[in-house]
């Protein structure tokens, strides 16, 4: 019997300053707080990054402890498959799943997409996010980004119709998607849908609170609607039919690339369009998501563009065009 090669686990909390601030309907922040897991075997180290999200009751400290609690299972040979059964979906599992994927690729001397039997990722166009603010301020920020092909507009409830109109005037040629982050209500849904349709918006993300989105099955949807907070992993897909046209897959919600790939396949099988999304984080968070981006109708992997600086060997962005990761970064 051969013994399992020794693996050691380390993890830490990192803080990356945001260029300015990032504002959505639930508040503003000036830094991205991420947790990085590293799994070392011999001279090789696999890395994964996650973003704990208070919306789901996650904190950096609790996420860090959940990751470090997996030292013994990793020592005795826990792989990605066993990880799915041992941990629930969420940020901590995402960091470990991506670190295991990275290590697997390094040990094999192959890119991870080859090992997974997936096509090699190609450059893709990402959305660029405009933070929530007054219509005039959003129009000013949009005008500076109007050269970008795809803009994602953060909305927040009262006054959103004015924000939508102001943004469209500032970027007449850009494709627009909007993200309400659960801030709309049933009584303003029709008016906000009309404002989006009039402005030529392509997609509306999560207009109503998760668990309170029944109205979406009763109202005519003139613009495609995408689930974000209402969808997490494959188990949550079936209940979305009739309410949503697309699903936003984020690795911090699915608990890693392993579930995200399976979820994307299942979602397409149910007729949903795919959006690949992100939290504000470094390129280490974006890199695994590039595998999902290849079959996504909408790509939103602009996290590093919102930071004051990115980590070494980060993804290459040429405007809104983002290249696949180099092996020095991940995978």
């Amino acid at each position: 019997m051969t013994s399992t090669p020794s693996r050691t686990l380390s993890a830490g909390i990192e803080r990356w300053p945001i260029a300015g601030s990032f504002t959505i309907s639930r508040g503003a922040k000036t830094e991205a707080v991420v947790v990085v897991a590293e799994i070392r075997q011999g001279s090789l180290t696999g890395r994964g990054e996650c973003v704990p999200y208070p919306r789901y009751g996650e904190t950096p400290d609790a996420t860090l402890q959940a990751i470090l609690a997996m030292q013994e299972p990793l020592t005795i040979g826990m792989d990605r498959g066993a990880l799915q059964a041992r941990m629930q979906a969420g940020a901590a599992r995402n960091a470990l799943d991506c670190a295991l994927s990275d290590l697997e690729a390094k040990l094999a001397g192959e890119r991870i997409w080859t090992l997974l039997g997936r096509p090699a990722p190609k450059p893709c166009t990402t959305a660029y996010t405009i933070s929530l603010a007054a219509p005039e301020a959003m129009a000013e920020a949009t005008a500076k980004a109007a050269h970008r092909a795809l803009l994602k507009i953060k909305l927040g409830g009262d006054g959103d119709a004015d924000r939508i109109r102001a943004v469209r005037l500032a970027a007449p040629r850009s494709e627009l998607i909007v993200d309400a982050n659960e801030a709309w209500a049933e009584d303003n849904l029709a008016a906000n849908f009309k404002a989006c349709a009039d402005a030529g918006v392509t997609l509306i993300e999560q207009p109503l609170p998760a668990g309170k989105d029944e109205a979406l099955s009763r109202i005519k949807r003139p613009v495609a609607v995408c689930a974000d907070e209402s969808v997490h992993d494959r188990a949550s897909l079936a209940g979305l039919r009739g309410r949503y046209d697309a699903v936003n897959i984020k690795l911090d919600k699915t608990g890693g690339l392993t579930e995200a790939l399976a979820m994307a396949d299942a979602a397409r099988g149910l007729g949903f369009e795919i959006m690949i999304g992100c939290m504000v984080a470094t390129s280490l968070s974006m890199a695994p998501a590039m595998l999902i981006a290849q079959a996504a109708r909408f790509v939103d992997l602009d996290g590093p563009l919102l930071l004051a600086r990115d980590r070494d060997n980060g993804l290459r962005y040429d405007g809104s065009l983002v290249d696949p990761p180099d092996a020095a970064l991940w995978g």
Side-chain angles (χ1 to χ4, degrees):
M1 177 181 294
T2 58
S3 60
T4 301
S6 177
R7 290 181 174 178
T8 58
L9 170 66
S10 61
I13 298 171
E14 299 179 355
R15 299 176 183 274
W16 295 81
I18 291 173
S21 66
F22 181 76
T23 304
I24 66 173
S25 63
R26 283 188 286 272
K29 59 182 180 179
T30 58
E31 63 179 6
V33 182
V34 307
V35 182
V36 176
E38 296 187 346
I39 303 173
R40 184 177 181 87
Q41 180 173 323
S43 62
L44 301 175
T45 300
R47 299 187 301 165
E49 178 180 298
C50 70
V51 182
Y53 197 21
R55 168 66 177 79
Y56 304 126
E58 297 176 331
T59 67
D61 287 337
T63 299
L64 176 62
Q65 293 308 312
I67 291 170
L68 293 175
M70 292 296 108
Q71 173 63 79
E72 183 177 352
L74 283 167
T75 299
I76 60 176
M78 180 178 69
D79 59 11
R80 288 185 294 111
L83 176 67
Q84 309 307 305
R86 193 170 189 108
M87 295 186 77
Q88 65 182 11
R93 195 178 79 183
N94 177 32
L96 286 169
D97 182 78
C98 291
L100 282 168
S101 298
D102 188 29
L103 181 60
E104 185 178 339
K106 287 180 167 64
L107 290 169
E110 298 275 2
R111 298 311 303 265
I112 187 61
W113 45 83
T114 301
L115 297 180
L116 296 175
R118 301 278 174 164
K122 299 177 181 179
C124 58
T125 298
T126 178
Y128 181 81
T129 301
I130 304 297
S131 284
L132 174 66
E136 298 78 13
M138 292 185 73
E140 182 178 354
T142 300
K144 296 176 182 178
H147 61 284
R148 296 181 181 271
L150 178 62
L151 297 177
K152 176 173 175 174
I153 312 303
K154 289 291 187 179
L155 299 176
D158 291 343
D160 277 348
D162 293 332
R163 294 183 178 98
I164 294 164
R165 284 190 288 269
V167 163
R168 173 46 81 199
L169 287 172
R173 291 181 295 277
S174 300
E175 182 178 8
L176 299 183
I177 57 180
V178 303
D179 186 1
N181 281 118
E182 305 180 279
W184 293 356
E186 187 171 350
D187 61 2
N188 63 27
L189 195 58
N192 283 328
F193 273 13
K194 183 179 187 303
C196 287
D198 290 347
V201 169
T202 305
L203 188 74
I204 300 169
E205 273 191 79
Q206 199 67 42
L208 298 176
K212 299 180 180 179
D213 52 5
E214 301 89 352
L216 293 174
S217 64
R218 302 191 300 268
I219 190 172
K220 182 180 179 182
R221 301 192 297 272
V223 177
V225 179
C226 179
D228 184 355
E229 287 83 355
S230 286
V231 65
H232 292 261
D233 53 17
R234 280 174 290 175
S236 57
L237 287 172
L240 304 178
R241 286 182 291 184
R243 300 181 186 184
Y244 294 95
D245 308 289
V247 293
N248 188 343
I249 298 174
K250 294 178 180 175
L251 272 62
D252 282 310
K253 291 190 301 180
T254 66
L257 177 62
T258 301
E259 174 63 20
L261 287 167
M263 180 181 172
D265 293 341
R268 285 193 297 270
L270 291 172
F272 292 110
E273 292 273 18
I274 300 298
M275 179 178 185
I276 179 65
C278 69
M279 307 297 288
V280 183
T282 80
S283 284
L284 185 55
S285 279
M286 308 301 126
M290 285 292 291
L291 275 72
I292 310 293
Q294 303 309 299
R297 167 64 179 86
F298 299 96
V299 175
D300 178 23
L301 298 177
D302 66 342
L305 295 177
L306 305 176
L307 298 177
R309 61 183 178 87
D310 195 8
R311 66 175 70 248
D312 293 342
N313 301 307
L315 294 176
R316 291 185 298 275
Y317 289 85
D318 181 7
S320 292
L321 192 69
V322 54
D323 286 339
D326 291 334
L329 174 67
W330 180 89

